[in-house]
Amino acid sequence: MVVLWISFSVFVILSSFLGDTTILVGSIKYNALILSKSTVAIMQHLAVSDLLTSCLYTIFLISHAFTGPEPCNFILKLGGYFFYYNIYASYSFTAALTTIKLLTIKYPFHARLWTRHTAHLLCAIIWVLCLLCPIPNQLYTTLRLDIGDLFLKLKDGEHLSYEEIIDLRQKDLKLSKLWLLEVWFEIVIELLLLLLVVFTSAWLIYEAYKVLRQRGNRIRREGLLTVIATAVVFTISVLPGLVTNIAYQQADYDSGDKVQKVYYYTVRINVMANFYIYSLTVTSFRKFLLERARLFKNFICCTTAAVEENITRSHTRVKNGQKFQPAGTEMTRVTNHSKQQPAGTEIKRMANQPEEQPAGTEMIGMANEPKQLPA
């Protein structure tokens, strides 16, 4: 089970690094996502949040390999904070994506006034607000680590003072309250975002159906399919975690643990899925990928052909007893090679050469010469 989890995590990390980097480079430098400007801007922020989450997965994976399943306190605190921060930011960007697409179809004339800067401003507000979301988790994690240190003292045979025992009981009571606060906070936030995504996606499908009936095929289906596919993957990713938290609230720990195992995999699907969604639903992005793949293939073929030619020439020259020269260097050497001449020979040559005369002066000289009379 551990090997399967590590293999799946490595696949998610590689897919996210390559896919999200390709999305960012293709959309910023090559304009590979030919969609509305606001939609593309939100997709870029979504790719950034997924990249940051993949970096945290990498840190957790390395820590798991060197320190065991329980990471150190610093990684647990800092990594946990940024993990929840990026997860909530990714969920919020998905909700913003479906909402913006709905408003674009519902109010097409107003949507023309929404620029890329407007979308970036909305995403900046989301980044700032998501800084508050991991606070309950951080409070719970800090208190749990403090209690863990006290229990380690008891395990090592150390005696606790009366003040430390009272402090341990108070922290234990606070820990249960903070655990309830964290779980309920996650339930409320995830449920609100899930309802927003599902509601806007259903309304988006309804509005798109109305537009198709009125205008025929005068609607861009690419962006519509992209947003709907993103919403479906988001729903699949969030539902197991929501069910897990609700089961823990009902003290049904067996069901919660079973669903949480599924949640470990589904939450990672949301991180790597955007690249595959855009590749299947956006024609311009698919053409960009095929063009880059063709260029890479040509580069590999040319490099392989040059290496094979050099190997063949080396074997031939070794058989003939000649020194090996890489392919393509002979003409360069011939072009750049010039014979060294002794000093002073250039002046002798110039002295022996007749002076050049301007064009037309030969006839003038012949006309001025006296004619020779016959004897």
Side-chain angles (χ1 to χ4, degrees):
M1 194 67 182
V2 176
V3 176
L4 178 62
W5 180 79
I6 293 176
S7 302
F8 183 74
S9 298
V10 170
F11 174 72
V12 170
I13 290 169
L14 293 177
S15 298
S16 179
F17 274 128
L18 296 176
D20 292 323
T21 305
T22 305
I23 290 172
L24 290 174
V25 174
S27 61
I28 294 174
K29 188 175 181 180
Y30 299 100
N31 195 21
L33 294 173
I34 304 179
L35 301 171
S36 61
K37 296 180 180 179
S38 57
T39 303
V40 173
I42 296 175
M43 287 178 175
Q44 291 171 356
H45 285 270
L46 186 59
V48 170
S49 66
D50 291 340
L51 268 178
L52 294 177
T53 307
S54 299
C55 292
L56 291 174
Y57 282 151
T58 306
I59 294 174
F60 290 151
L61 201 61
I62 295 174
S63 176
H64 186 277
F66 286 97
T67 63
E70 189 69 23
C72 62
N73 294 345
F74 176 75
I75 294 178
L76 197 61
K77 290 181 180 179
L78 190 64
Y81 177 84
F82 282 105
F83 174 76
Y84 279 97
Y85 174 61
N86 290 317
I87 286 294
Y88 285 125
S90 178
Y91 291 171
S92 302
F93 289 139
T94 305
L97 188 64
T98 56
T99 305
I100 289 294
K101 191 62 181 178
L102 173 63
L103 295 177
T104 303
I105 294 181
K106 183 72 176 177
Y107 307 103
F109 296 103
H110 295 282
R112 296 178 181 178
L113 302 177
W114 301 339
T115 60
R116 186 179 288 107
H117 299 289
T118 306
H120 284 304
L121 179 61
L122 174 63
C123 294
I125 294 173
I126 291 175
W127 281 115
V128 173
L129 291 178
C130 287
L131 289 171
L132 304 175
C133 295
I135 291 178
N137 176 264
Q138 283 298 108
L139 295 175
Y140 172 75
T141 303
T142 304
L143 189 59
R144 183 169 63 87
L145 292 176
D146 292 340
I147 294 176
D149 293 338
L150 293 176
F151 275 109
L152 283 177
K153 288 184 178 180
L154 291 174
K155 187 177 180 180
D156 294 338
E158 298 182 10
H159 295 285
L160 299 179
S161 63
Y162 178 76
E163 290 80 7
E164 289 179 340
I165 294 174
I166 297 298
D167 185 42
L168 180 61
R169 290 180 178 179
Q170 292 177 353
K171 286 182 177 180
D172 194 17
L173 293 175
K174 288 181 181 179
L175 185 66
S176 60
K177 294 179 181 179
L178 285 175
W179 182 77
L180 290 175
L181 175 63
E182 181 196 3
V183 172
W184 275 111
F185 182 79
E186 290 182 6
I187 290 175
V188 171
I189 295 296
E190 291 179 0
L191 186 61
L192 287 176
L193 291 175
L194 180 62
L195 291 176
L196 179 60
V197 170
V198 172
F199 176 73
T200 52
S201 300
W203 196 356
L204 175 63
I205 295 173
Y206 174 72
E207 291 294 332
Y209 177 72
K210 284 173 57 178
V211 172
L212 283 174
R213 289 188 62 183
Q214 294 174 2
R215 306 177 189 175
N217 292 328
R218 295 177 58 187
I219 185 173
R220 300 188 66 174
R221 301 185 182 184
E222 289 186 356
L224 182 64
L225 292 175
T226 304
V227 172
I228 292 175
T230 305
V232 170
V233 172
F234 168 79
T235 305
I236 295 173
S237 176
V238 173
L239 269 180
L242 194 60
V243 172
T244 300
N245 291 329
I246 294 175
Y248 284 161
Q249 281 299 111
Q250 301 297 327
D252 189 4
Y253 296 105
D254 293 334
S255 301
D257 292 337
K258 292 178 182 178
V259 179
Q260 192 174 17
K261 294 178 181 178
V262 180
Y263 177 66
Y264 285 152
Y265 295 96
T266 57
V267 73
R268 286 164 173 76
I269 292 175
N270 190 43
V271 174
M272 68 171 184
N274 292 326
F275 172 74
Y276 300 104
I277 291 173
Y278 302 161
S279 302
L280 294 175
T281 59
V282 183
T283 306
S284 58
F285 188 69
R286 186 164 58 249
K287 290 181 179 179
F288 167 75
L289 293 177
L290 292 176
E291 180 183 357
R292 296 298 152 181
R294 194 178 300 112
L295 291 175
F296 181 74
K297 179 183 177 182
N298 293 336
F299 172 76
I300 294 297
C301 292
C302 293
T303 306
T304 306
V307 170
E308 292 178 354
E309 184 180 357
N310 287 333
I311 293 174
T312 305
R313 294 169 67 89
S314 64
H315 289 315
T316 305
R317 289 180 178 271
V318 166
K319 289 180 180 179
N320 297 333
Q322 299 177 0
K323 188 177 179 181
F324 168 68
Q325 294 179 355
T329 58
E330 291 82 359
M331 295 300 297
T332 306
R333 294 187 178 184
V334 171
T335 304
N336 298 331
H337 181 70
S338 59
K339 296 181 179 180
Q340 295 182 357
Q341 300 175 357
T345 56
E346 293 84 358
I347 301 176
K348 292 180 181 180
R349 289 187 178 183
M350 293 176 62
N352 296 330
Q353 290 178 356
E355 297 182 357
E356 295 183 358
Q357 297 179 356
T361 56
E362 293 84 4
M363 297 299 298
I364 297 174
M366 292 175 64
N368 296 332
E369 289 180 359
K371 297 181 178 180
Q372 294 182 0
L373 296 176

